[in-house]
Amino acid sequence: MAELKERTFIAIKPDGVQRAIIGEVIKRFEMKGFKLVGMKMLHASEDLLMKHYVDLKDRPFFPTLINYMRSGPVVAMVWEGKGVVKTGRVMLGETNPADSKPGTIRGDFCIDVSKNIIHGSDSVESANKEISLWFKDDELVNYTSCAFSWLY
Ligand code: DAT
Ligand code: MG
């Protein structure tokens, strides 16, 4: 069923990598039951980040945001499962960590909106765009998780 194959783009930002939160993020998505179908670590280029954040290009914080995202390596991931876009956003918390509840990733591990450690797609449409921007088709895998029939 197509709805079980929904995919979202999650990226651990340079501060999340430096602060050793990679494992914790992966753990939370794994334990929830979502399936990892793509992952790589990279220094994102300016061109890639301009495309990724094109909707924010006129905001005053845009140059700072691009510099921050280029300040170190990021971990780019694609997670799959029913409702993963919306649930992923709930797991991340609000854009501003100050508004994020304890129990969410931003609520538990960061303080400031300009250092909010993680990105998650905000809709299925943006997820599809972001996945094709960050990953080639052959960098994503198809497989059946042994947990599948215990989750759905
Ligand atoms: P989100 O990352 O929750 O989807 P967004 O797409 O509105 O939020 O903005 C992208 C990133 O830009 C966000 O994660 C952090 C940064 N940002 C957003 N609003 C900001 C602000 N008012 N000041 C500084 N950085 C901001
Ligand atoms: Mg966004």
Side-chain angles (χ1 to χ4, degrees):
M1 274 192 288
E3 61 177 24
L4 307 184
K5 292 265 179 196
E6 184 175 306
R7 288 178 170 184
T8 194
F9 174 67
I10 299 290
I12 304 171
K13 298 178 177 180
D15 49 341
V17 171
Q18 295 291 344
R19 295 187 48 230
I21 294 164
I22 301 170
E24 179 68 29
V25 169
I26 292 174
K27 181 181 171 191
R28 288 183 182 213
F29 276 82
E30 276 192 315
M31 296 205 75
K32 177 71 178 167
F34 292 130
K35 188 170 78 175
L36 185 61
V37 295
M39 179 164 70
K40 61 184 172 184
M41 190 172 203
L42 71 158
H43 277 278
S45 69
E46 186 169 2
D47 179 58
L48 172 62
L49 292 167
M50 297 283 223
K51 287 179 183 149
H52 176 77
Y53 280 129
V54 67
D55 295 347
L56 299 172
K57 67 180 187 326
D58 297 326
R59 303 296 292 274
F61 57 82
F62 185 71
T64 314
L65 174 63
I66 300 297
N67 282 338
Y68 156 59
M69 291 296 291
R70 295 187 67 206
S71 64
V74 301
V75 174
M77 297 179 283
V78 178
W79 288 88
E80 183 181 284
K82 187 177 180 183
V84 70
V85 172
K86 187 174 170 209
T87 302
R89 291 284 291 194
V90 173
M91 290 166 66
L92 262 58
E94 302 300 320
T95 301
N96 190 338
D99 300 327
S100 302
K101 292 197 170 60
T104 65
I105 293 167
R106 287 169 174 164
D108 286 348
F109 301 115
C110 54
I111 296 170
D112 196 279
V113 68
S114 66
K115 296 276 187 315
N116 65 1
I117 70 170
I118 188 163
H119 167 84
S121 309
D122 62 9
S123 67
V124 172
E125 191 192 1
S126 14
N128 292 336
K129 266 191 226 158
E130 291 169 2
I131 291 166
S132 58
L133 185 61
W134 287 79
F135 286 89
K136 298 182 192 124
D137 283 349
D138 66 4
E139 291 176 321
L140 301 173
V141 294
N142 284 301
Y143 65 103
T144 303
S145 158
C146 66
F148 186 85
S149 58
W150 301 101
L151 287 163
Y152 302 108

mmCIF file of all heavy atoms in Angstrom, residues 72-118:
data_model
loop_
_atom_site.group_PDB
_atom_site.id
_atom_site.type_symbol
_atom_site.label_atom_id
_atom_site.label_comp_id
_atom_site.label_asym_id
_atom_site.label_seq_id
_atom_site.Cartn_x
_atom_site.Cartn_y
_atom_site.Cartn_z
ATOM 1 N N GLY A 72 29.776 22.759 8.778
ATOM 2 C CA GLY A 72 30.306 21.436 9.088
ATOM 3 C C GLY A 72 29.488 20.401 8.353
ATOM 4 O O GLY A 72 28.518 20.741 7.666
ATOM 5 N N PRO A 73 29.851 19.125 8.514
ATOM 6 C CA PRO A 73 29.105 18.080 7.820
ATOM 7 C C PRO A 73 27.689 17.913 8.379
ATOM 8 O O PRO A 73 27.435 18.204 9.552
ATOM 9 C CB PRO A 73 29.940 16.820 8.066
ATOM 10 C CG PRO A 73 30.749 17.121 9.264
ATOM 11 C CD PRO A 73 30.973 18.603 9.290
ATOM 12 N N VAL A 74 26.803 17.443 7.533
ATOM 13 C CA VAL A 74 25.435 17.111 7.940
ATOM 14 C C VAL A 74 25.197 15.628 7.657
ATOM 15 O O VAL A 74 25.910 15.026 6.847
ATOM 16 C CB VAL A 74 24.388 17.974 7.186
ATOM 17 C CG1 VAL A 74 24.615 19.456 7.432
ATOM 18 C CG2 VAL A 74 24.395 17.685 5.690
ATOM 19 N N VAL A 75 24.223 15.053 8.336
ATOM 20 C CA VAL A 75 23.817 13.677 8.048
ATOM 21 C C VAL A 75 22.433 13.729 7.416
ATOM 22 O O VAL A 75 21.475 14.182 8.039
ATOM 23 C CB VAL A 75 23.809 12.800 9.317
ATOM 24 C CG1 VAL A 75 23.241 11.413 9.005
ATOM 25 C CG2 VAL A 75 25.213 12.665 9.879
ATOM 26 N N ALA A 76 22.368 13.329 6.156
ATOM 27 C CA ALA A 76 21.112 13.358 5.393
ATOM 28 C C ALA A 76 20.506 11.960 5.395
ATOM 29 O O ALA A 76 21.211 10.970 5.168
ATOM 30 C CB ALA A 76 21.402 13.801 3.967
ATOM 31 N N MET A 77 19.207 11.904 5.676
ATOM 32 C CA MET A 77 18.550 10.597 5.772
ATOM 33 C C MET A 77 17.180 10.627 5.128
ATOM 34 O O MET A 77 16.529 11.668 5.074
ATOM 35 C CB MET A 77 18.347 10.211 7.253
ATOM 36 C CG MET A 77 19.632 10.035 8.022
ATOM 37 S SD MET A 77 19.318 9.604 9.759
ATOM 38 C CE MET A 77 18.864 11.199 10.392
ATOM 39 N N VAL A 78 16.743 9.462 4.685
ATOM 40 C CA VAL A 78 15.360 9.300 4.239
ATOM 41 C C VAL A 78 14.739 8.197 5.075
ATOM 42 O O VAL A 78 15.289 7.102 5.192
ATOM 43 C CB VAL A 78 15.285 8.958 2.728
ATOM 44 C CG1 VAL A 78 13.835 8.757 2.310
ATOM 45 C CG2 VAL A 78 15.940 10.055 1.896
ATOM 46 N N TRP A 79 13.606 8.533 5.703
ATOM 47 C CA TRP A 79 12.876 7.574 6.547
ATOM 48 C C TRP A 79 11.525 7.286 5.919
ATOM 49 O O TRP A 79 10.905 8.183 5.330
ATOM 50 C CB TRP A 79 12.703 8.149 7.957
ATOM 51 C CG TRP A 79 13.992 8.160 8.733
ATOM 52 C CD1 TRP A 79 14.932 9.143 8.756
ATOM 53 C CD2 TRP A 79 14.493 7.112 9.583
ATOM 54 N NE1 TRP A 79 15.987 8.782 9.582
ATOM 55 C CE2 TRP A 79 15.746 7.537 10.093
ATOM 56 C CE3 TRP A 79 14.013 5.846 9.961
ATOM 57 C CZ2 TRP A 79 16.508 6.757 10.969
ATOM 58 C CZ3 TRP A 79 14.781 5.070 10.837
ATOM 59 C CH2 TRP A 79 16.006 5.517 11.334
ATOM 60 N N GLU A 80 11.083 6.042 6.082
ATOM 61 C CA GLU A 80 9.855 5.600 5.420
ATOM 62 C C GLU A 80 8.871 5.012 6.421
ATOM 63 O O GLU A 80 9.260 4.359 7.382
ATOM 64 C CB GLU A 80 10.232 4.517 4.386
ATOM 65 C CG GLU A 80 9.075 4.005 3.551
ATOM 66 C CD GLU A 80 9.532 2.928 2.579
ATOM 67 O OE1 GLU A 80 10.153 3.270 1.554
ATOM 68 O OE2 GLU A 80 9.285 1.741 2.867
ATOM 69 N N GLY A 81 7.583 5.247 6.187
ATOM 70 C CA GLY A 81 6.532 4.619 6.989
ATOM 71 C C GLY A 81 5.252 5.422 6.913
ATOM 72 O O GLY A 81 5.219 6.537 6.403
ATOM 73 N N LYS A 82 4.199 4.839 7.461
ATOM 74 C CA LYS A 82 2.884 5.478 7.425
ATOM 75 C C LYS A 82 2.907 6.796 8.204
ATOM 76 O O LYS A 82 3.256 6.802 9.388
ATOM 77 C CB LYS A 82 1.869 4.527 8.056
ATOM 78 C CG LYS A 82 0.444 4.974 7.936
ATOM 79 C CD LYS A 82 -0.466 3.914 8.545
ATOM 80 C CE LYS A 82 -1.920 4.315 8.446
ATOM 81 N NZ LYS A 82 -2.780 3.316 9.097
ATOM 82 N N GLY A 83 2.558 7.881 7.525
ATOM 83 C CA GLY A 83 2.484 9.186 8.183
ATOM 84 C C GLY A 83 3.817 9.747 8.621
ATOM 85 O O GLY A 83 3.879 10.629 9.481
ATOM 86 N N VAL A 84 4.917 9.280 8.012
ATOM 87 C CA VAL A 84 6.260 9.654 8.507
ATOM 88 C C VAL A 84 6.546 11.152 8.379
ATOM 89 O O VAL A 84 7.303 11.696 9.186
ATOM 90 C CB VAL A 84 7.363 8.796 7.835
ATOM 91 C CG1 VAL A 84 7.520 9.148 6.359
ATOM 92 C CG2 VAL A 84 8.683 8.924 8.569
ATOM 93 N N VAL A 85 5.934 11.833 7.397
ATOM 94 C CA VAL A 85 6.199 13.270 7.261
ATOM 95 C C VAL A 85 5.641 14.003 8.477
ATOM 96 O O VAL A 85 6.371 14.732 9.180
ATOM 97 C CB VAL A 85 5.600 13.837 5.949
ATOM 98 C CG1 VAL A 85 5.714 15.350 5.920
ATOM 99 C CG2 VAL A 85 6.299 13.224 4.735
ATOM 100 N N LYS A 86 4.362 13.804 8.741
ATOM 101 C CA LYS A 86 3.709 14.514 9.841
ATOM 102 C C LYS A 86 4.254 14.061 11.204
ATOM 103 O O LYS A 86 4.599 14.884 12.065
ATOM 104 C CB LYS A 86 2.203 14.262 9.764
ATOM 105 C CG LYS A 86 1.419 15.079 10.737
ATOM 106 C CD LYS A 86 -0.075 14.901 10.522
ATOM 107 C CE LYS A 86 -0.832 15.537 11.671
ATOM 108 N NZ LYS A 86 -2.105 14.877 11.908
ATOM 109 N N THR A 87 4.370 12.756 11.383
ATOM 110 C CA THR A 87 4.874 12.248 12.662
ATOM 111 C C THR A 87 6.319 12.672 12.884
ATOM 112 O O THR A 87 6.717 13.000 14.008
ATOM 113 C CB THR A 87 4.738 10.709 12.727
ATOM 114 O OG1 THR A 87 3.366 10.376 12.540
ATOM 115 C CG2 THR A 87 5.207 10.160 14.067
ATOM 116 N N GLY A 88 7.096 12.703 11.801
ATOM 117 C CA GLY A 88 8.488 13.158 11.902
ATOM 118 C C GLY A 88 8.554 14.580 12.427
ATOM 119 O O GLY A 88 9.370 14.902 13.293
ATOM 120 N N ARG A 89 7.683 15.439 11.929
ATOM 121 C CA ARG A 89 7.647 16.836 12.407
ATOM 122 C C ARG A 89 7.265 16.893 13.883
ATOM 123 O O ARG A 89 7.804 17.707 14.645
ATOM 124 C CB ARG A 89 6.655 17.661 11.575
ATOM 125 C CG ARG A 89 7.068 17.913 10.152
ATOM 126 C CD ARG A 89 8.146 18.969 9.995
ATOM 127 N NE ARG A 89 7.687 20.303 10.308
ATOM 128 C CZ ARG A 89 8.343 21.419 10.005
ATOM 129 N NH1 ARG A 89 9.514 21.344 9.349
ATOM 130 N NH2 ARG A 89 7.902 22.589 10.334
ATOM 131 N N VAL A 90 6.327 16.050 14.291
ATOM 132 C CA VAL A 90 5.945 16.012 15.714
ATOM 133 C C VAL A 90 7.150 15.581 16.557
ATOM 134 O O VAL A 90 7.433 16.156 17.614
ATOM 135 C CB VAL A 90 4.740 15.064 15.938
ATOM 136 C CG1 VAL A 90 4.456 14.893 17.422
ATOM 137 C CG2 VAL A 90 3.504 15.579 15.195
ATOM 138 N N MET A 91 7.895 14.591 16.069
ATOM 139 C CA MET A 91 9.070 14.105 16.810
ATOM 140 C C MET A 91 10.166 15.174 16.893
ATOM 141 O O MET A 91 10.903 15.229 17.882
ATOM 142 C CB MET A 91 9.620 12.831 16.151
ATOM 143 C CG MET A 91 8.685 11.635 16.332
ATOM 144 S SD MET A 91 9.089 10.255 15.246
ATOM 145 C CE MET A 91 10.697 9.772 15.876
ATOM 146 N N LEU A 92 10.268 16.020 15.860
ATOM 147 C CA LEU A 92 11.270 17.103 15.869
ATOM 148 C C LEU A 92 10.916 18.212 16.852
ATOM 149 O O LEU A 92 11.787 18.795 17.480
ATOM 150 C CB LEU A 92 11.392 17.727 14.469
ATOM 151 C CG LEU A 92 12.541 17.239 13.587
ATOM 152 C CD1 LEU A 92 12.498 15.758 13.352
ATOM 153 C CD2 LEU A 92 12.548 17.990 12.259
ATOM 154 N N GLY A 93 9.624 18.543 16.948
ATOM 155 C CA GLY A 93 9.205 19.696 17.747
ATOM 156 C C GLY A 93 9.008 20.910 16.847
ATOM 157 O O GLY A 93 9.035 20.802 15.625
ATOM 158 N N GLU A 94 8.833 22.065 17.469
ATOM 159 C CA GLU A 94 8.597 23.298 16.706
ATOM 160 C C GLU A 94 9.912 23.845 16.151
ATOM 161 O O GLU A 94 10.988 23.507 16.647
ATOM 162 C CB GLU A 94 7.969 24.357 17.634
ATOM 163 C CG GLU A 94 6.656 23.931 18.270
ATOM 164 C CD GLU A 94 5.582 23.609 17.244
ATOM 165 O OE1 GLU A 94 5.483 24.333 16.232
ATOM 166 O OE2 GLU A 94 4.864 22.625 17.443
ATOM 167 N N THR A 95 9.800 24.743 15.161
ATOM 168 C CA THR A 95 10.993 25.374 14.579
ATOM 169 C C THR A 95 11.858 26.025 15.661
ATOM 170 O O THR A 95 13.080 25.865 15.685
ATOM 171 C CB THR A 95 10.575 26.435 13.532
ATOM 172 O OG1 THR A 95 9.799 25.781 12.528
ATOM 173 C CG2 THR A 95 11.772 27.121 12.907
ATOM 174 N N ASN A 96 11.193 26.743 16.575
ATOM 175 C CA ASN A 96 11.919 27.365 17.686
ATOM 176 C C ASN A 96 11.967 26.391 18.878
ATOM 177 O O ASN A 96 10.922 26.036 19.424
ATOM 178 C CB ASN A 96 11.212 28.655 18.095
ATOM 179 C CG ASN A 96 12.045 29.468 19.068
ATOM 180 O OD1 ASN A 96 12.927 28.917 19.751
ATOM 181 N ND2 ASN A 96 11.787 30.760 19.151
ATOM 182 N N PRO A 97 13.172 25.964 19.260
ATOM 183 C CA PRO A 97 13.281 25.026 20.385
ATOM 184 C C PRO A 97 12.566 25.519 21.654
ATOM 185 O O PRO A 97 12.093 24.710 22.455
ATOM 186 C CB PRO A 97 14.785 24.917 20.623
ATOM 187 C CG PRO A 97 15.391 25.275 19.312
ATOM 188 C CD PRO A 97 14.482 26.293 18.686
ATOM 189 N N ALA A 98 12.476 26.854 21.806
ATOM 190 C CA ALA A 98 11.821 27.410 22.995
ATOM 191 C C ALA A 98 10.329 27.060 23.035
ATOM 192 O O ALA A 98 9.720 27.047 24.107
ATOM 193 C CB ALA A 98 12.004 28.921 23.030
ATOM 194 N N ASP A 99 9.747 26.778 21.862
ATOM 195 C CA ASP A 99 8.328 26.405 21.797
ATOM 196 C C ASP A 99 8.133 24.892 21.731
ATOM 197 O O ASP A 99 7.017 24.409 21.585
ATOM 198 C CB ASP A 99 7.682 27.031 20.538
ATOM 199 C CG ASP A 99 7.778 28.548 20.540
ATOM 200 O OD1 ASP A 99 7.731 29.141 21.630
ATOM 201 O OD2 ASP A 99 7.920 29.129 19.434
ATOM 202 N N SER A 100 9.241 24.145 21.756
ATOM 203 C CA SER A 100 9.182 22.686 21.575
ATOM 204 C C SER A 100 9.041 21.980 22.917
ATOM 205 O O SER A 100 9.783 22.266 23.858
ATOM 206 C CB SER A 100 10.461 22.204 20.883
ATOM 207 O OG SER A 100 10.629 22.845 19.641
ATOM 208 N N LYS A 101 8.111 21.050 22.981
ATOM 209 C CA LYS A 101 7.875 20.343 24.246
ATOM 210 C C LYS A 101 9.006 19.361 24.569
ATOM 211 O O LYS A 101 9.619 18.796 23.660
ATOM 212 C CB LYS A 101 6.566 19.570 24.151
ATOM 213 C CG LYS A 101 5.346 20.457 24.068
ATOM 214 C CD LYS A 101 4.082 19.663 24.402
ATOM 215 C CE LYS A 101 2.878 20.565 24.563
ATOM 216 N NZ LYS A 101 2.571 21.350 23.354
ATOM 217 N N PRO A 102 9.263 19.160 25.861
ATOM 218 C CA PRO A 102 10.164 18.066 26.253
ATOM 219 C C PRO A 102 9.650 16.764 25.634
ATOM 220 O O PRO A 102 8.438 16.583 25.513
ATOM 221 C CB PRO A 102 10.038 18.025 27.782
ATOM 222 C CG PRO A 102 9.555 19.382 28.170
ATOM 223 C CD PRO A 102 8.706 19.864 27.028
ATOM 224 N N GLY A 103 10.554 15.907 25.238
ATOM 225 C CA GLY A 103 10.150 14.677 24.565
ATOM 226 C C GLY A 103 10.318 14.784 23.061
ATOM 227 O O GLY A 103 10.386 13.773 22.369
ATOM 228 N N THR A 104 10.385 16.018 22.559
ATOM 229 C CA THR A 104 10.708 16.201 21.138
ATOM 230 C C THR A 104 12.221 16.409 21.021
ATOM 231 O O THR A 104 12.888 16.764 21.999
ATOM 232 C CB THR A 104 9.979 17.424 20.537
ATOM 233 O OG1 THR A 104 10.459 18.627 21.159
ATOM 234 C CG2 THR A 104 8.467 17.317 20.744
ATOM 235 N N ILE A 105 12.739 16.194 19.810
ATOM 236 C CA ILE A 105 14.192 16.301 19.620
ATOM 237 C C ILE A 105 14.667 17.730 19.894
ATOM 238 O O ILE A 105 15.607 17.954 20.652
ATOM 239 C CB ILE A 105 14.576 15.819 18.203
ATOM 240 C CG1 ILE A 105 14.302 14.311 18.095
ATOM 241 C CG2 ILE A 105 16.039 16.141 17.880
ATOM 242 C CD1 ILE A 105 14.332 13.755 16.681
ATOM 243 N N ARG A 106 13.983 18.722 19.299
ATOM 244 C CA ARG A 106 14.398 20.106 19.556
ATOM 245 C C ARG A 106 14.082 20.519 20.992
ATOM 246 O O ARG A 106 14.821 21.317 21.598
ATOM 247 C CB ARG A 106 13.730 21.053 18.547
ATOM 248 C CG ARG A 106 14.309 20.942 17.140
ATOM 249 C CD ARG A 106 13.444 21.679 16.147
ATOM 250 N NE ARG A 106 14.006 21.732 14.796
ATOM 251 C CZ ARG A 106 13.286 22.046 13.724
ATOM 252 N NH1 ARG A 106 11.992 22.318 13.834
ATOM 253 N NH2 ARG A 106 13.847 22.087 12.538
ATOM 254 N N GLY A 107 13.019 19.980 21.556
ATOM 255 C CA GLY A 107 12.670 20.281 22.944
ATOM 256 C C GLY A 107 13.676 19.716 23.931
ATOM 257 O O GLY A 107 13.884 20.278 25.007
ATOM 258 N N ASP A 108 14.318 18.628 23.573
ATOM 259 C CA ASP A 108 15.241 17.962 24.500
ATOM 260 C C ASP A 108 16.707 18.376 24.324
ATOM 261 O O ASP A 108 17.479 18.268 25.268
ATOM 262 C CB ASP A 108 15.166 16.436 24.323
ATOM 263 C CG ASP A 108 13.892 15.848 24.903
ATOM 264 O OD1 ASP A 108 13.171 16.563 25.638
ATOM 265 O OD2 ASP A 108 13.599 14.669 24.606
ATOM 266 N N PHE A 109 17.091 18.809 23.108
ATOM 267 C CA PHE A 109 18.532 18.923 22.843
ATOM 268 C C PHE A 109 19.035 20.277 22.361
ATOM 269 O O PHE A 109 20.216 20.388 22.014
ATOM 270 C CB PHE A 109 18.966 17.850 21.832
ATOM 271 C CG PHE A 109 18.682 16.445 22.298
ATOM 272 C CD1 PHE A 109 17.769 15.650 21.634
ATOM 273 C CD2 PHE A 109 19.314 15.939 23.424
ATOM 274 C CE1 PHE A 109 17.501 14.362 22.067
ATOM 275 C CE2 PHE A 109 19.050 14.652 23.868
ATOM 276 C CZ PHE A 109 18.132 13.858 23.191
ATOM 277 N N CYS A 110 18.183 21.281 22.267
ATOM 278 C CA CYS A 110 18.710 22.574 21.821
ATOM 279 C C CYS A 110 17.891 23.731 22.377
ATOM 280 O O CYS A 110 16.829 23.520 22.974
ATOM 281 C CB CYS A 110 18.820 22.629 20.296
ATOM 282 S SG CYS A 110 17.310 22.249 19.429
ATOM 283 N N ILE A 111 18.395 24.952 22.162
ATOM 284 C CA ILE A 111 17.851 26.131 22.841
ATOM 285 C C ILE A 111 17.406 27.211 21.857
ATOM 286 O O ILE A 111 16.358 27.829 22.041
ATOM 287 C CB ILE A 111 18.944 26.713 23.790
ATOM 288 C CG1 ILE A 111 19.268 25.691 24.891
ATOM 289 C CG2 ILE A 111 18.476 28.040 24.406
ATOM 290 C CD1 ILE A 111 20.497 26.069 25.733
ATOM 291 N N ASP A 112 18.224 27.436 20.808
ATOM 292 C CA ASP A 112 18.045 28.625 19.975
ATOM 293 C C ASP A 112 17.566 28.250 18.562
ATOM 294 O O ASP A 112 18.030 27.257 17.998
ATOM 295 C CB ASP A 112 19.403 29.350 19.890
ATOM 296 C CG ASP A 112 19.261 30.770 19.395
ATOM 297 O OD1 ASP A 112 19.145 30.975 18.162
ATOM 298 O OD2 ASP A 112 19.261 31.683 20.250
ATOM 299 N N VAL A 113 16.696 29.093 17.987
ATOM 300 C CA VAL A 113 16.131 28.797 16.653
ATOM 301 C C VAL A 113 17.207 28.729 15.573
ATOM 302 O O VAL A 113 17.070 27.992 14.591
ATOM 303 C CB VAL A 113 15.021 29.814 16.275
ATOM 304 C CG1 VAL A 113 15.590 31.221 16.035
ATOM 305 C CG2 VAL A 113 14.214 29.354 15.066
ATOM 306 N N SER A 114 18.300 29.463 15.781
ATOM 307 C CA SER A 114 19.359 29.464 14.763
ATOM 308 C C SER A 114 20.326 28.291 14.921
ATOM 309 O O SER A 114 21.244 28.118 14.116
ATOM 310 C CB SER A 114 20.146 30.778 14.827
ATOM 311 O OG SER A 114 20.849 30.847 16.050
ATOM 312 N N LYS A 115 20.113 27.473 15.952
ATOM 313 C CA LYS A 115 20.927 26.261 16.157
ATOM 314 C C LYS A 115 19.972 25.137 16.589
ATOM 315 O O LYS A 115 20.069 24.623 17.703
ATOM 316 C CB LYS A 115 21.978 26.486 17.263
ATOM 317 C CG LYS A 115 23.017 27.557 16.947
ATOM 318 C CD LYS A 115 24.155 27.016 16.117
ATOM 319 C CE LYS A 115 25.287 27.999 15.917
ATOM 320 N NZ LYS A 115 24.949 29.348 15.575
ATOM 321 N N ASN A 116 19.044 24.785 15.665
ATOM 322 C CA ASN A 116 17.984 23.847 16.078
ATOM 323 C C ASN A 116 18.215 22.406 15.631
ATOM 324 O O ASN A 116 17.282 21.609 15.573
ATOM 325 C CB ASN A 116 16.594 24.386 15.697
ATOM 326 C CG ASN A 116 16.381 24.499 14.203
ATOM 327 O OD1 ASN A 116 17.274 24.153 13.428
ATOM 328 N ND2 ASN A 116 15.207 24.948 13.796
ATOM 329 N N ILE A 117 19.432 22.078 15.318
ATOM 330 C CA ILE A 117 20.058 20.750 15.165
ATOM 331 C C ILE A 117 19.498 19.776 14.119
ATOM 332 O O ILE A 117 20.186 18.805 13.786
ATOM 333 C CB ILE A 117 20.183 19.966 16.509
ATOM 334 C CG1 ILE A 117 18.840 19.479 17.068
ATOM 335 C CG2 ILE A 117 20.950 20.763 17.560
ATOM 336 C CD1 ILE A 117 19.012 18.494 18.259
ATOM 337 N N ILE A 118 18.280 19.995 13.639
ATOM 338 C CA ILE A 118 17.700 18.975 12.747
ATOM 339 C C ILE A 118 16.706 19.598 11.785
ATOM 340 O O ILE A 118 16.032 20.583 12.115
ATOM 341 C CB ILE A 118 17.049 17.851 13.589
ATOM 342 C CG1 ILE A 118 16.598 16.673 12.719
ATOM 343 C CG2 ILE A 118 15.891 18.379 14.450
ATOM 344 C CD1 ILE A 118 16.329 15.394 13.516
#
